[in-house]
């Protein structure tokens, strides 16, 4: 029973429940720790993205499977998202997130070994494990929302995401440096960025394991339990409804799934497209770093807009921005750094709009008793959509063209608009009222 569980709460939980000031301080401290971990996690995430497709191309000797690395580590991130969500639900954010980052670091080590011994099966297995770091990097955005109120949630997500920018932009720009370092120690140049990824993910995990105390999610659940008891609802929390709004979960998930699929598909094949038209690895690294910067750097403004003008408006903006990106990537001259750069920046920006608006909808629609588990389950769908986008992108380009892929991705993103319109009309304005309330 809830009342029984309450009496068994540790003393520190009771102290925090009884002190709003302590809750505010813990909220701010949690954001600082998440920011620190995301700086390292961002470097681990981005270091491999820039060269994953190129490493597969070199080891497999064909372009057709160049999308496999991103598909594999995105597929691995799907499984990891579920595990991290379940661990966070049961043991708190500290254990769940630390375990995910550490697993991603060991996966990066496996990729390095596979490149050294030219072992494709080990490469594929390690890419799957490396995906745990990617999943955890995204799930860390939820940690800042555990103690946030409705008007702070998108902003809290945005703080975590913008912190990722520091490492995420640095990672691809260190491609050349890490390649030279790798060669100096007898490792293939394209495996060099994964040395950075391994160190970054492991450091992110250790930061969370050591510093994320008290755990914000454990406290959030205890506070919700106390509130239910005070309201006279003494039923066991496990019997409570799994969510406040299934519609909000569905719409938030669809927004994130579509934006992830489109972003991964176009991003995956851009380095290959550039390689076919004479661009250097440093140019590839620059474009990918600018793309990843656009994915994360505007987050503070995006979070503010999502909280102020509403989740729905920003979801529609996501679809429109991704459409513009796809069209520009398709029509830009292949030799043009400027055209491809603008297209990839818009691609990252559209993804940013979709991720933050979709995440806010998921948090709005869940309760502390089930939030981490549902967040993990939704991120599984997001990761699987990214895996599908990455896997199909190489096949599509091999049988058609990069232009066709870009057009297809842009127009697929337009599906976001009817989804949110359907949600508004079916709910008879309920979502619009929530947006106004959030504003």
């Amino acid at each position: 029973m809830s009342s029984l569980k309450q009496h068994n709460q540790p003393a520190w939980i009771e102290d925090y429940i009884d002190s709003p000031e302590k809750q505010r301080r813990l909220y701010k401290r949690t954001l600082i720790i998440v920011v620190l971990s995301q700086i390292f996690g961002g470097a681990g995430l981005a270091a491999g993205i820039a060269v994953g497709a190129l490493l597969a191309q070199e080891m497999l000797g064909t372009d057709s499977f160049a999308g496999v690395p991103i598909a594999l580590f995105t597929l691995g991130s799907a499984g990891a998202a579920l595990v991290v969500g379940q661990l966070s639900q049961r043991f708190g954010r500290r254990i769940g997130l630390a375990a995910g980052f550490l697993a991603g670091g060991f996966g990066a080590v496996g990729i390095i070994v596979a490149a050294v011994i030219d072992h494709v099966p080990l490469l594929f297995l390690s890419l799957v494990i490396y995906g745990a770091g990617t999943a955890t990097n995204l799930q860390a955005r939820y940690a800042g929302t555990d103690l946030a109120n409705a008007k702070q949630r998108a902003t809290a997500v945005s703080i975590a995401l913008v912190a990722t920018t520091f490492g995420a932009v640095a990672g691809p720009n260190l491609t050349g440096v890490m390649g030279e370092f790798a060669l100096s120690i007898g490792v293939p140049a394209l495996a060099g960025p994964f040395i950075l990824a391994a160190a970054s993910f492991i450091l992110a995990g250790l930061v969370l394991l050591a510093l994320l105390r008290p755990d914000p999610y454990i406290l959030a659940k205890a506070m919700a339990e106390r509130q239910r008891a005070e309201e006279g609802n003494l039923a066991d929390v496990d019997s409570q409804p799994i969510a406040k709004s299934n519609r909000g979960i569905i719409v938030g998930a669809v927004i994130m799934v579509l934006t992830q699929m489109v972003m991964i598909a176009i991003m995956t094949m851009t380095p290959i497209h550039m390689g076919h038209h004479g661009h250097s690895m440093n140019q590839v690294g620059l474009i990918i770093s600018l793309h990843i910067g656009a994915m994360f750097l505007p987050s503070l403004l995006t979070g503010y807009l999502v909280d102020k003008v509403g989740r729905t408006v920003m979801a529609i903006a996501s679809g429109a921005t991704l459409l513009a990106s796809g069209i520009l990537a398709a029509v830009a001259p292949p030799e043009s750094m400027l055209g491809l750069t603008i297209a990839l920046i818009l691609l990252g920006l559209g993804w940013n709009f979709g991720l933050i608006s979709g995440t806010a909808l998921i948090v709005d629609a869940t309760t502390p008793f089930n939030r981490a588990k549902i967040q993990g389950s939704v991120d599984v769908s997001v990761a699987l959509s990214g895996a599908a986008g990455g896997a199909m992108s190489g096949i599509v380009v091999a049988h058609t063209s990069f232009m066709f892929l870009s057009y297809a991705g842009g127009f697929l993103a337009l599906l976001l608009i009817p989804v949110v319109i359907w949600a508004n009309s079916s709910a008879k304005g309920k979502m619009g009222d929530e947006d106004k309330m959030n504003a």
Side-chain angles (χ1 to χ4, degrees):
M1 300 288 290
S2 296
S3 55
L4 180 61
K5 289 179 182 176
Q6 240 184 343
H7 293 133
N8 293 331
Q9 296 284 16
W12 73 264
I13 288 182
E14 295 295 337
D15 289 343
Y16 274 89
I17 289 177
D18 294 334
S19 174
E21 179 59 29
K22 283 188 175 182
Q23 294 170 26
R24 285 191 290 270
R25 288 203 301 266
L26 180 57
Y27 169 65
K28 292 178 181 178
R29 183 171 184 270
T30 297
L31 288 178
I32 292 170
I33 295 164
V34 169
V35 163
L36 183 58
S37 71
Q38 289 297 84
I39 292 173
F40 292 123
L45 165 71
I49 287 177
V51 298
L54 298 174
L55 180 61
Q57 182 189 41
E58 181 179 273
M59 292 179 68
L60 295 170
T62 175
D63 289 352
S64 296
F65 300 102
V68 168
I70 288 184
L72 285 175
F73 73 67
T74 309
L75 185 63
S77 74
L82 187 61
V83 173
V84 170
Q86 294 285 355
L87 286 174
S88 298
Q89 182 74 42
R90 185 170 181 180
F91 301 109
R93 299 288 186 191
R94 184 176 74 92
I95 298 299
L97 296 176
F101 273 132
L102 291 173
F106 291 123
V109 171
I111 293 170
I112 298 164
V113 174
V116 169
I117 65 175
D118 195 22
H119 196 283
V120 172
L122 178 60
L123 172 69
F124 288 173
L125 175 62
S126 298
L127 282 165
V128 172
I129 300 172
Y130 172 76
T134 306
T136 310
N137 189 267
L138 281 176
Q139 287 228 1
R141 75 193 188 277
Y142 290 119
T145 68
D146 290 328
L147 298 176
N149 61 43
K151 294 181 179 180
Q152 296 174 317
R153 286 168 182 163
T155 301
V157 172
S158 71
I159 290 172
L161 290 178
V162 79
T164 308
T165 308
F166 296 102
V169 172
N173 278 311
L174 292 173
T175 296
V177 173
M178 293 306 301
E180 292 173 4
F181 172 73
L183 288 173
S184 72
I185 59 173
V187 173
L190 289 175
F194 288 100
I195 298 175
L196 175 62
S200 298
F201 278 154
I202 291 171
L203 281 171
L206 293 176
V207 164
L208 290 165
L209 195 60
L211 301 180
L212 196 59
R213 303 166 185 263
D215 193 294
Y217 186 63
I218 291 175
L219 177 59
K221 287 198 294 183
M223 290 168 59
E225 186 179 333
R226 166 73 69 88
Q227 183 179 357
R228 286 189 185 279
E230 289 177 349
E231 292 171 354
N233 186 351
L234 300 180
D236 192 286
V237 296
D238 292 336
S239 68
Q240 298 300 328
I242 64 165
K244 293 184 288 187
S245 170
N246 286 330
R247 186 182 304 279
I249 294 171
I250 292 169
V251 175
V254 169
I255 291 169
M256 290 192 284
V257 162
L258 285 177
T259 53
Q260 182 80 355
M261 180 179 290
V262 171
M263 187 275 291
I264 290 288
I266 296 177
M267 180 197 68
T268 296
M269 294 312 297
T270 298
I272 304 298
H273 176 65
M274 293 177 67
H276 287 162
H277 293 88
H279 295 280
S280 68
M281 274 188 62
N282 285 335
Q283 288 176 314
V284 170
L286 175 61
I287 278 191
I288 295 299
S289 68
L290 291 173
H291 162 68
I292 295 175
M295 288 172 62
F296 298 107
L297 192 57
S299 295
L300 289 178
L301 177 60
T302 303
Y304 174 83
L305 291 173
V306 170
D307 279 335
K308 294 299 180 182
V309 305
R311 283 63 161 142
T312 300
V313 172
M314 295 307 294
I316 292 174
S318 172
T321 305
L322 290 172
L323 172 64
S325 169
I327 292 175
L328 183 56
V331 302
E335 300 80 11
S336 170
M337 276 289 290
L338 178 62
L340 288 173
T341 298
I342 295 173
L344 267 289
I345 287 174
L346 289 174
L347 185 68
L349 189 61
W351 178 87
N352 179 270
F353 292 167
L355 182 74
I356 295 180
S357 58
T359 298
L361 283 167
I362 297 296
V363 177
D364 291 343
T366 53
T367 72
F369 302 118
N370 56 72
R371 184 162 292 151
K373 182 168 62 176
I374 290 176
Q375 288 164 344
S377 298
V378 169
D379 277 6
V380 170
S381 299
V382 174
L384 288 174
S385 70
M392 290 188 299
S393 63
I395 297 172
V396 169
V397 171
H399 290 85
T400 57
S401 66
F402 181 76
M403 177 185 292
F404 180 86
L405 175 71
S406 300
Y407 275 132
F411 285 103
L412 179 62
L414 281 183
L415 289 176
L416 289 176
I417 296 175
V419 166
V420 295
I421 291 174
W422 164 80
N424 278 334
S425 61
S426 298
K428 297 180 179 179
K430 181 179 178 182
M431 188 181 298
D433 292 340
E434 288 177 353
D435 284 343
K436 291 177 183 178
M437 181 178 68
N438 288 333

